[in-house]
Amino acid sequence: MVKFYSTTRLFSIETKVILTQTDTTVGFLSQNGTKLSHIKSRSSKKPFIKVYTNFQALREDNIRVPNSKKNLIRRRKKTTFIVKHKSFRVAQTTLHSSVLRKLKWNYSTSANEQGKEFSRTFCEEKADIIIEDKNRFCQNRASVLFKINNKKIKRLR
């Protein structure tokens, strides 16, 4: 494993695929959706969840959340929301990684082959950067998924 004390060697981090323990499960993170689609062997038309590091980044991306649902989004942890066909989650990184702190958002997907369980060898082959802490990788439950609009909330997962 290679340790980086400076991110200057990691030019164009936006195009890299990062394997890390997310707030919910082991996942691939990247700002390049087509690269993630290729790794997961899934349609490029199927959107990914966009994970923001804070609420300011969410506001800068012009996602309009209904006023009546803003407190729900602020208070729910490990929860993904769909608003007007855009799926997102706000998750402060639990890893103290300078690489992840520099990125305000990432596309996120589980680190496994389509329809299969987590395989460390598959993930290590596909990832450009691996960020792992002393607790190792553990596959947990996926995030809860809600579709919300002005009037109602529907739980999808």
Side-chain angles (χ1 to χ4, degrees):
M1 182 163 303
V2 179
K3 292 184 179 181
F4 287 108
Y5 296 105
S6 170
T7 58
T8 56
R9 291 180 56 194
L10 297 172
F11 64 95
S12 69
I13 190 74
E14 292 85 15
T15 62
K16 302 291 183 190
V17 174
I18 302 169
L19 173 67
T20 188
Q21 181 73 39
T22 64
D23 61 331
T24 53
T25 187
V26 182
F28 287 123
L29 302 176
S30 181
Q31 289 189 343
N32 187 345
T34 56
K35 202 167 183 182
L36 285 177
S37 294
H38 179 70
I39 288 172
K40 294 284 284 186
S41 301
R42 70 188 235 185
S43 171
S44 60
K45 294 178 183 176
K46 186 175 179 184
F48 287 102
I49 296 170
K50 206 167 185 181
V51 179
Y52 295 94
T53 56
N54 55 36
F55 288 101
Q56 183 65 31
L58 177 68
R59 290 177 70 205
E60 289 172 1
D61 211 11
N62 294 327
I63 293 181
R64 303 211 15 122
V65 176
N67 285 333
S68 61
K69 308 298 187 279
K70 286 183 180 179
N71 278 336
L72 172 74
I73 292 173
R74 286 190 199 287
R75 292 190 174 126
R76 290 293 303 230
K77 304 294 182 208
K78 299 182 181 181
T79 305
T80 301
F81 297 95
I82 300 173
V83 177
K84 294 184 180 177
H85 306 293
K86 293 182 182 180
S87 58
F88 65 91
R89 184 169 76 234
V90 178
Q92 288 79 13
T93 179
T94 57
L95 296 174
H96 300 291
S97 168
S98 59
V99 174
L100 294 179
R101 273 186 270 145
K102 289 201 178 280
L103 302 173
K104 293 187 179 207
W105 64 269
N106 285 299
Y107 291 119
S108 175
T109 184
S110 60
N112 56 8
E113 290 183 77
Q114 190 71 24
K116 296 184 180 178
E117 291 293 317
F118 172 71
S119 168
R120 187 176 182 99
T121 55
F122 168 78
C123 295
E124 288 178 351
E125 289 173 5
K126 302 297 182 179
D128 297 322
I129 301 170
I130 300 171
I131 300 175
E132 185 175 6
D133 64 355
K134 64 182 178 183
N135 297 329
R136 314 279 297 168
F137 292 133
C138 61
Q139 186 177 10
N140 299 326
R141 291 184 330 156
S143 63
V144 178
L145 184 63
F146 287 109
K147 186 172 184 176
I148 61 176
N149 61 26
N150 286 332
K151 299 192 190 297
K152 61 182 178 178
I153 301 172
K154 182 178 180 182
R155 184 174 176 158
L156 301 177
R157 175 175 65 191

